[in-house]
Amino acid sequence: QLVSFTTRKKRTGEVHGEDYYFVDESELENLDIVEETSYSGNKYGLLREVVNKFLGENNNTYFIANADGAKQIQNMYPDETIPLWLKTDISTMRSRMYLRGDSERNIQKRILYAVDNDELSQPDLEGLVVLDANKTPEELIKQVLYILKRRG
């Protein structure tokens, strides 16, 4: 997995360098970022050097982004990109956020953001593969591996 940089505060249990690289805004602005997006008042981005290194060393890698970030990466690396969209609903979002320890206030704020920014609708990305968030992680992995095998 590619690890993004973020200006977001670290949540309980998150590890710098594993979950994200937690930096302040001035640090992020000084990096050579290949994809950058703002989300819920925070900025996120992938370092160009890291993306290029991963593409050179690995057959398959992934990163998590919103539709805007995915479009940026797809435009930059069209032959290497398969956009996957994890289709979800408000109930699933709420459950997962609760399980990871988010407060009710943050859950409500996040859901409002998702609704206001049309995040529950399928994004317009070329070659988009839709995955169902209600499937088990094992089922999702099996589906993604099948897609990668077909692509060669």
Side-chain angles (χ1 to χ4, degrees):
Q1 169 188 339
L2 292 172
V3 179
S4 297
F5 285 77
T6 184
T7 60
R8 177 176 67 70
K9 298 285 186 227
K10 189 173 11 171
R11 293 184 186 117
T12 303
E14 287 183 321
V15 177
H16 179 79
E18 270 183 42
D19 299 293
Y20 289 97
Y21 292 102
F22 298 94
V23 296
D24 64 33
E25 202 161 328
S26 65
E27 287 175 285
L28 188 65
E29 288 173 4
N30 290 319
L31 297 173
D32 183 16
I33 299 293
V34 69
E35 171 272 337
E36 184 178 326
T37 190
S38 293
Y39 184 79
S40 195
N42 299 297
K43 291 186 178 180
Y44 296 80
L46 284 172
L47 193 60
R48 180 182 315 275
E49 176 183 330
V50 173
V51 173
N52 291 338
K53 180 180 178 202
F54 263 79
L55 288 174
E57 293 178 355
N58 300 288
N59 289 329
N60 300 302
T61 192
Y62 71 95
F63 80 100
I64 299 168
N66 64 9
D68 183 48
K71 284 179 186 178
Q72 290 176 50
I73 288 293
Q74 190 174 39
N75 288 336
M76 188 73 74
Y77 303 97
D79 295 333
E80 295 89 350
T81 305
I82 302 173
L84 306 172
W85 181 55
L86 194 58
K87 182 180 180 181
T88 192
D89 56 35
I90 291 173
S91 175
T92 302
M93 284 178 67
R94 176 180 295 287
S95 297
R96 290 186 175 179
M97 291 181 74
Y98 178 76
L99 287 173
R100 74 179 186 201
D102 285 315
S103 69
E104 184 60 34
R105 181 175 181 265
N106 284 343
I107 292 171
Q108 287 298 331
K109 183 178 171 184
R110 175 64 185 92
I111 288 171
L112 274 172
Y113 183 91
V115 171
D116 289 347
N117 290 280
D118 201 27
E119 290 185 344
L120 301 175
S121 298
Q122 184 171 317
D124 181 25
L125 292 165
E126 188 173 325
L128 182 71
V129 176
V130 178
L131 304 172
D132 182 355
N134 291 312
K135 289 189 175 187
T136 66
E138 294 79 16
E139 290 171 317
L140 292 169
I141 290 168
K142 188 175 180 179
Q143 185 178 358
V144 169
L145 290 174
Y146 175 75
I147 291 163
L148 293 172
K149 185 177 179 180
R150 275 192 17 213
R151 185 167 181 195

